Amino acid sequence: MKTRTIGFRDAQIELAHGAGGKATRRLIEGLFVPYLDNERLAQLADAAYVEANGQRLAVTADSFVVKPLTFPGGTIGELAVNGTVNDLAVSGARPIALLTTFILEAGLPTNVLEPQVETMARAAQNAGVPIVGGDTKVVEHGQCDGMYITSSGLGVVDPRASLSAKSVRPGDQVLVSGPIGDHGITILLARGDLDLEADLSSDTRSVWPFVDALLSACGPHLRWMRDPTRGGVATALNELARDADVAVTIFEEAIPVRDPVRGACEILGLDPLHIACEGQFLAVVGPEAVDIALAALRSVPGGEGAVRIGEIGTEPSRTVIGHSSYGGHRVIDVLVGDPLPRIC
Amino acid sequence: MKTRTIGFRDAQIELAHGAGGKATRRLIEGLFVPYLDNERLAQLADAAYVEANGQRLAVTADSFVVKPLTFPGGTIGELAVNGTVNDLAVSGARPIALLTTFILEAGLPTNVLEPQVETMARAAQNAGVPIVGGDTKVVEHGQCDGMYITSSGLGVVDPRASLSAKSVRPGDQVLVSGPIGDHGITILLARGDLDLEADLSSDTRSVWPFVDALLSACGPHLRWMRDPTRGGVATALNELARDADVAVTIFEEAIPVRDPVRGACEILGLDPLHIACEGQFLAVVGPEAVDIALAALRSVPGGEGAVRIGEIGTEPSRTVIGHSSYGGHRVIDVLVGDPLPRIC
């Protein structure tokens, strides 16, 4: 019997523990991992790899509690499908089956539920993945804000994929598939608490077609991928820096951010690098593969905005540094606290 | 493009839609299945079968919203593990990986969360299945009653298993692994709303060791299994009668029910056949295999109470009939309404 070290010292759970940043990591590493001790969980990746009689599979699950349930560009039902598909995709796995479970509030009008089922079905069809099962629970009126949805997914690891933070090395290049922060700011504005309006919609979509194109184009030069949802690009790249024991340098002006996202962030004192995307992903490729990778991404409809945003170095290790063209630089940390609760 | 027929006509969701009985079936068949149209979902089984490069797999997911979070004999964390393990087991699949997602209430004391993680870890260890990943979301104080947990599982279909309601035929025999209704009545009493006390605890456990023993002993004579959770034995057998297009006769006196369960049901006007179990299962075997099946079940610790409770006939088709020893009989229907909300 091993001795467990429970490092989680917070007396109670706060919204920040669900934000995907520093507090979430503390909860998971300090409480969940010590109890549920196993190598695959400890990797804390988007999906876990499992072997079944020699067949390499990937599995993933996420709960969705976004508020409101419907917003420009998407619904909780679409997020539940695309979020799970994308966790498999960035793990190099072709999604083959989804399960969805609903927790519904008693009194929920059927005409609120039905569009969620409908958009979920459409998202699954667009992603080419069947929803093969699920579950429905109902809780009392006043609980669960209409509905929470949990989805889990099964994928077959693509034989072309050999992704791992450990394979990332100095000189490798960091790419992003398109503009960041659209989803988080869309949700924030959709709540109507702020007197802000913008022509902006969620970027929720399946990223599998982009991943598929990258795998074909780059083979082993594709080292690592991650979809920067909660915690944003900053958190995803910090996890890379830490897991790969490297420095990640990003060129701040190169990062695509739409004007409404930049504007809302300036007004609210948020950093776009901490804002969630739902249809973008980060990839690290070998330096020899940058041009073919970008060409591959841009050849897929919706991938025209793919660009190189940074590179991998050695020092300062386990750190993300933002460089600006006028010579300044700053340390970019993971998300602390939860400026935007319940965005997915 | 097929035309969808949306048969669900209820204007809003009620607790009964989550009870696992008639209303749940109406919601799933009337709304979810038409939109999420595919053959595997339409089977509405405990788990769905998926093929990955020739490897037969089973996947399942359930959300748990039981209240209270801890009760005699178990916790929501244990239910989440065992419930998912059991859905795979009764589908003839050896569980190989679990995922768990938490929706936590802001303000939840860590000393409430920690025992859930601990008991979940122990249940997973007892079941011999690793928890390889998951997710954590946090919602505002006042939502979600502390926590909801969703678990999903992956299993490898056992080569000895060829289970299907369609293979059930007249003359086959119905077995149950032990006393029914313990879980549901335990939860009811644990809420303390009733002035009733009883020496009773939840039966939550993994049933895989029993299934494993049955598969070894019976091979193809094992036709069908189901764990009678929400909706109880009555609902599970009605689904069998319907899916197999047969009559199911049960011998009411043969059904094992502990005294406290029978007593509470009499006082409350409930039928034990509608009360959920979490560690029992129903099996249908060919008549030639009854003795070896019962011997196999009773040889596993905790299976001493396994008995034959009924048999398969032809008329009245798609119906469950209860016979009593003094010659009476009654039609046993699925659960209608929700006498015991949030028991799992």
Side-chain angles (χ1 to χ4, degrees):
Chain A
M1 197 72 188
K2 277 184 288 185
T3 309
R4 289 194 179 91
T5 307
I6 307 302
F8 186 68
R9 296 269 169 253
D10 300 5
Q12 63 176 32
I13 299 301
E14 308 290 354
L15 285 168
H17 291 114
K22 198 164 263 185
T24 302
R25 192 143 189 139
R26 211 164 58 229
L27 171 63
I28 295 175
E29 293 187 341
L31 187 64
F32 292 161
V33 169
Y35 278 113
L36 306 174
D37 179 42
N38 67 71
E39 196 184 314
R40 284 167 293 188
L41 180 66
Q43 290 173 4
L44 297 178
D46 288 303
Y49 297 113
V50 178
E51 201 157 301
N53 295 342
Q55 177 62 56
R56 284 196 78 209
L57 304 168
V59 289
T60 186
D62 275 298
S63 287
F64 293 84
V65 299
V66 65
K67 188 166 69 169
L69 299 174
T70 298
F71 42 83
T75 65
I76 188 173
E78 284 171 86
L79 282 190
V81 168
N82 292 334
T84 296
V85 164
N86 292 348
D87 280 345
L88 294 172
V90 297
S91 304
R94 182 172 51 83
I96 63 168
L98 300 179
L99 300 163
T100 57
T101 74
F102 290 83
I103 300 173
L104 302 175
E105 179 182 1
L108 179 75
T110 300
N111 64 17
V112 173
L113 176 59
E114 184 168 348
Q116 295 300 338
V117 182
E118 186 178 3
T119 52
M120 173 178 271
R122 198 184 318 133
Q125 194 168 33
N126 288 344
V129 189
I131 295 175
V132 299
D135 179 43
T136 307
K137 293 288 185 336
V138 181
V139 296
E140 295 86 350
H141 187 60
Q143 301 274 327
C144 95
D145 260 340
M147 73 186 75
Y148 301 145
I149 301 179
T150 299
S151 60
S152 49
L154 173 67
V156 174
V157 176
D158 194 291
R160 299 166 295 179
S162 60
L163 302 168
S164 155
K166 296 287 174 223
S167 68
V168 170
R169 58 202 73 163
D172 284 354
Q173 303 290 308
V174 183
L175 314 181
V176 69
S177 58
I180 67 168
D182 288 9
H183 177 74
I185 297 298
T186 297
I187 298 299
L188 183 72
L189 299 179
R191 290 197 191 134
D193 301 338
L194 299 169
D195 196 16
L196 285 177
E197 277 189 39
D199 182 19
L200 190 67
S201 58
S202 170
D203 56 354
T204 181
R205 62 177 174 176
S206 160
V207 301
W208 172 253
F210 302 102
V211 168
D212 190 27
L214 266 192
L215 287 169
S216 283
C218 302
H221 298 304
L222 177 61
R223 320 265 201 233
W224 176 92
M225 287 184 286
R226 179 68 54 96
D227 59 331
T229 55
R230 283 179 298 170
V233 169
T235 302
L237 291 180
N238 267 282
E239 291 181 354
L240 170 63
R242 179 179 138 144
D243 295 345
D245 202 9
V246 295
V248 179
T249 297
I250 57 175
F251 318 121
E252 302 234 24
E253 285 88 351
I255 297 166
V257 183
R258 291 187 208 277
D259 287 341
V261 173
R262 195 180 298 282
C265 283
E266 279 175 9
I267 291 168
L268 299 164
L270 300 171
D271 186 335
L273 291 169
H274 285 138
I275 308 298
C277 315
E278 287 288 341
Q280 306 300 342
F281 67 101
L282 298 160
V284 173
V285 299
E288 60 277 67
V290 170
D291 292 339
I292 55 166
L294 288 174
L297 289 173
R298 290 171 184 162
S299 73
V300 178
E304 301 78 6
V307 286
R308 184 177 78 108
I309 61 165
E311 64 188 15
I312 306 298
T314 52
E315 295 294 335
S317 177
R318 302 163 77 90
T319 306
V320 180
I321 302 288
H323 278 263
S324 69
S325 55
Y326 52 83
H329 68 272
R330 60 174 181 139
V331 171
I332 293 171
D333 203 356
V334 303
L335 178 67
V336 176
D338 191 1
L340 300 178
R342 297 184 58 184
I343 48 144
C344 64
Chain B
M1 195 73 188
K2 277 186 289 186
T3 309
R4 291 195 177 91
T5 308
I6 307 302
F8 186 68
R9 296 269 169 255
D10 301 5
Q12 62 177 33
I13 299 302
E14 308 289 355
L15 285 168
H17 291 114
K22 199 165 262 184
T24 301
R25 191 143 189 137
R26 211 164 60 229
L27 171 63
I28 295 175
E29 293 187 341
L31 187 63
F32 292 160
V33 169
Y35 278 114
L36 305 175
D37 179 43
N38 67 72
E39 200 184 311
R40 285 167 292 188
L41 180 66
Q43 290 174 3
L44 296 178
D46 288 303
Y49 298 112
V50 178
E51 202 157 300
N53 295 342
Q55 177 62 55
R56 283 196 78 209
L57 304 168
V59 290
T60 186
D62 275 298
S63 287
F64 294 84
V65 299
V66 64
K67 189 167 70 171
L69 299 175
T70 297
F71 43 83
T75 64
I76 188 174
E78 283 172 87
L79 282 189
V81 168
N82 292 334
T84 296
V85 163
N86 291 349
D87 280 345
L88 294 172
V90 297
S91 304
R94 183 171 51 81
I96 63 167
L98 300 178
L99 300 164
T100 57
T101 74
F102 290 84
I103 299 173
L104 303 175
E105 179 182 0
L108 180 74
T110 300
N111 63 18
V112 174
L113 175 60
E114 184 168 346
Q116 295 300 338
V117 182
E118 187 177 2
T119 51
M120 173 178 272
R122 198 183 319 133
Q125 195 168 31
N126 288 344
V129 190
I131 295 176
V132 299
D135 179 44
T136 307
K137 292 290 185 336
V138 181
V139 296
E140 295 86 350
H141 187 61
Q143 300 275 326
C144 95
D145 261 341
M147 75 186 75
Y148 301 145
I149 301 180
T150 299
S151 61
S152 49
L154 173 67
V156 174
V157 177
D158 193 292
R160 298 166 295 179
S162 60
L163 303 167
S164 155
K166 296 288 174 221
S167 68
V168 170
R169 59 202 73 163
D172 285 353
Q173 303 291 308
V174 183
L175 314 180
V176 70
S177 57
I180 68 167
D182 289 7
H183 178 74
I185 297 299
T186 297
I187 298 299
L188 184 71
L189 298 179
R191 290 198 191 133
D193 300 338
L194 300 168
D195 196 17
L196 284 177
E197 277 187 41
D199 182 19
L200 191 66
S201 58
S202 171
D203 57 354
T204 181
R205 60 177 174 177
S206 161
V207 301
W208 173 253
F210 303 101
V211 168
D212 190 28
L214 267 192
L215 287 169
S216 284
C218 302
H221 298 302
L222 177 61
R223 319 265 201 233
W224 176 91
M225 288 185 285
R226 178 69 55 96
D227 58 330
T229 54
R230 283 179 298 170
V233 169
T235 303
L237 291 180
N238 267 281
E239 291 182 354
L240 169 63
R242 179 179 137 146
D243 294 346
D245 203 9
V246 296
V248 178
T249 297
I250 58 175
F251 318 121
E252 302 234 24
E253 284 88 352
I255 297 166
V257 183
R258 293 186 206 277
D259 287 342
V261 172
R262 196 181 298 282
C265 284
E266 278 174 10
I267 291 169
L268 299 165
L270 300 171
D271 187 336
L273 292 169
H274 285 138
I275 308 297
C277 314
E278 287 289 340
Q280 307 300 342
F281 66 102
L282 298 161
V284 173
V285 299
E288 60 277 67
V290 169
D291 292 338
I292 53 166
L294 288 175
L297 289 174
R298 290 170 185 162
S299 73
V300 178
E304 300 78 9
V307 286
R308 184 178 78 108
I309 60 164
E311 64 189 13
I312 306 298
T314 51
E315 295 294 335
S317 177
R318 303 164 77 88
T319 306
V320 179
I321 302 288
H323 278 263
S324 68
S325 55
Y326 52 85
H329 68 272
R330 61 173 180 140
V331 171
I332 293 171
D333 205 355
V334 303
L335 177 68
V336 176
D338 190 2
L340 300 179
R342 298 186 54 186
I343 49 143
C344 64

